[in-house]
Amino acid sequence: MTNKQNKKRLLTGDRPTGKLHLGHYVGSLKNRVAMQDQYESFVMIADVQALTDNFAEPEKVRKNVLEVALDNLAVGIDPKKTTLFIQSQIPEIAELTVFYSNLVTVSELQRNPTVKNEIGDKGHIFKGGNVTFGFLGYPVSQAADITFLRANVVPVGEDQKPMLEQTNEIIRKFHNYYGELFPYPQGVYGEIARLSGLDGRKMSKSFNNAIYLSDSPEEVEKKVKKAKTDSDTVNLVRFDEVKKADVSNLMQYYSIATGKTLKEIEKEFKGITSYKVFKDQLIVELNNFLAPIRARRKKYEENPDLVWKILKKGTAQAKKEAEKTMKLVKEKMMIWY
Ligand code: TRP
């Protein structure tokens, strides 16, 4: 028999900058849903982190808090099992971030590959590589997200690996200077490391190449029909590990929707003479996969008051845990008076 007390803790989060897509699903959502029975689970809507590159658009972040909550509930996050909460309403996270900022060097942050890539992608925000203090430092704030709950496991996409490493490094330093307090959190990574979007680049809202969990059947059909395919005439459906564009990305979507392996998919479509055969089946499978997700989303969408109630209750619960951790942190750091 397990109960809340002896369950290990899980924490993960999403930036509310847009609706969630298949890349989020395969990177983290699928695992967090599967793990919520076994772990004492927390899912955070990372509005403070979203503001690090959307500081000029607070209304966009605010609007997407509800959207991201809906996407989580839609894929099967059960509010009875998982505490859903809003990052900005836990001031202890900001407080911890300040303490941790002493345990990280600027060059460590500049070397973080995820941050580096993102700065590159966001040239329009950080003109000429002129990154803000807040954005460069978001891995520190992410360490605070994970440790305020003393989390053991963190289901995330593979691109978040450097964040987990940074968190573990901060914990090591904290323990070294102030004493043992935190478990070392482990990343649990999705089965597809980096899902390609419809154009072969990483699936991302900012590249406008995503299939969203909330897309209608018509949108899915339109996107798949428009998707580029290879110009092969034999063995049309085959996976290209390097290119991952054209038909390889579509095979990944097929795999997510059906649970079949890439090899099985190659076999299934061996000998077809037109990509239309594969695309038509992909549309069917994606829509079958998304149907129950859409149905759950609709149920909650029609009752936003219920969603806000879930978030309010979850945030109060997370805040309680934050206060407990903060008391211990301050004792260790000798800053209680
Ligand atoms: N950085 C994560 C992302 O972009 C979101 C996130 C914020 C997160 N805080 C977190 C994930 C803490 C896991 C744990 O997807």
Side-chain angles (χ1 to χ4, degrees):
M1 274 282 283
T2 49
N3 59 37
K4 218 177 152 175
Q5 270 63 47
N6 59 32
K7 275 185 179 174
K8 288 196 166 179
R9 263 199 191 158
L10 176 155
L11 174 279
T12 188
D14 309 295
R15 294 182 192 181
T17 57
K19 292 180 179 180
L20 302 183
H21 52 60
L22 278 184
H24 295 112
Y25 180 80
V26 76
S28 171
L29 295 168
K30 188 178 173 187
N31 280 337
R32 72 178 74 159
V33 170
M35 293 167 83
Q36 65 182 338
D37 287 313
Q38 241 172 307
Y39 291 87
E40 187 193 354
S41 289
F42 293 82
V43 171
M44 181 181 78
I45 304 192
D47 57 343
V48 176
Q49 190 174 109
L51 285 165
T52 61
D53 59 333
N54 293 275
F55 47 82
E57 294 174 274
E59 59 293 322
K60 170 174 137 188
V61 174
R62 188 186 170 90
K63 186 181 111 220
N64 282 305
V65 168
L66 183 65
E67 295 299 338
V68 166
L70 286 169
D71 280 327
N72 271 281
L73 294 164
V75 294
I77 286 295
D78 178 348
K80 288 198 196 75
K81 297 175 186 165
T82 295
T83 303
L84 262 171
F85 69 97
I86 304 176
Q87 185 185 25
S88 59
Q89 305 308 296
I90 315 287
E92 287 82 358
I93 297 176
E95 207 177 350
L96 270 180
T97 303
V98 172
F99 300 153
Y100 292 168
S101 68
N102 299 322
L103 308 179
V104 184
T105 65
V106 174
S107 70
E108 254 178 311
L109 294 169
Q110 284 166 334
R111 278 197 308 268
N112 182 306
T114 303
V115 173
K116 249 164 101 174
N117 281 341
E118 284 176 305
I119 294 171
D121 293 342
K122 294 172 204 292
H124 54 294
I125 302 169
F126 305 122
K127 292 183 187 67
N130 210 354
V131 66
T132 58
F133 177 61
F135 192 82
L136 186 67
Y138 93 70
V140 184
S141 141
Q142 193 155 328
D145 299 338
I146 295 168
T147 53
F148 96 84
L149 279 167
R150 286 169 277 157
N152 304 94
V153 292
V154 184
V156 276
E158 202 124 310
D159 64 311
Q160 297 293 301
K161 230 178 205 165
M163 305 304 156
L164 263 300
E165 282 163 14
Q166 184 70 79
T167 301
N168 277 283
E169 186 55 29
I170 288 172
I171 294 174
R172 256 190 299 279
K173 286 198 187 158
F174 186 99
H175 290 172
N176 185 34
Y177 297 128
Y178 312 124
E180 294 281 322
L181 181 56
F182 301 109
Y184 288 97
Q186 285 201 326
V188 177
Y189 302 103
E191 58 206 24
I192 298 180
R194 177 183 175 280
L195 188 68
S196 302
L198 288 156
D199 61 358
R201 291 189 286 174
K202 178 183 155 76
M203 187 176 280
S204 162
K205 190 183 75 77
S206 37
F207 296 149
N208 196 21
N209 64 1
I211 294 183
Y212 292 95
L213 298 168
S214 49
D215 273 350
S216 68
E218 295 73 30
E219 283 165 322
V220 167
E221 185 176 347
K222 211 170 84 194
K223 285 179 182 180
V224 171
K225 281 192 166 156
K226 247 186 33 201
K228 214 173 125 204
T229 49
D230 299 286
S231 47
D232 296 24
T233 48
V234 281
N235 273 346
L236 273 60
V237 176
R238 45 156 195 80
F239 191 70
D240 182 333
E241 186 60 50
V242 180
K243 208 161 53 160
K244 283 205 196 134
D246 298 348
V247 83
S248 297
N249 54 356
L250 302 181
M251 289 174 71
Q252 290 181 318
Y253 311 160
Y254 199 91
S255 173
I256 294 168
T258 60
K260 292 177 183 168
T261 65
L262 297 166
K263 279 272 161 280
E264 286 168 334
I265 299 165
E266 284 181 357
K267 235 166 113 188
E268 183 173 346
F269 293 98
K270 208 175 169 94
I272 60 165
T273 52
S274 154
Y275 277 113
K276 184 172 183 305
V277 179
F278 171 64
K279 280 190 166 184
D280 285 350
Q281 194 57 29
L282 175 59
I283 292 165
V284 170
E285 299 294 359
L286 274 175
N287 281 330
N288 281 343
F289 166 74
L290 291 174
I293 298 177
R294 289 185 194 116
R296 262 191 307 258
R297 195 176 211 281
K298 185 156 180 283
K299 204 185 84 192
Y300 284 107
E301 239 168 14
E302 284 165 357
N303 196 350
D305 286 352
L306 172 63
V307 181
W308 286 115
K309 222 167 101 185
I310 290 167
L311 287 171
K312 209 165 169 181
K313 191 168 160 221
T315 301
Q317 235 164 290
K319 172 93 173 101
K320 248 195 243 153
E321 296 305 322
E323 286 167 11
K324 283 189 217 161
T325 298
M326 217 55 214
K327 199 161 165 270
L328 298 171
V329 165
K330 289 186 174 174
E331 275 170 22
K332 295 278 183 200
M333 294 183 70
M334 302 188 204
I335 47 174
W336 49 277
Y337 301 99

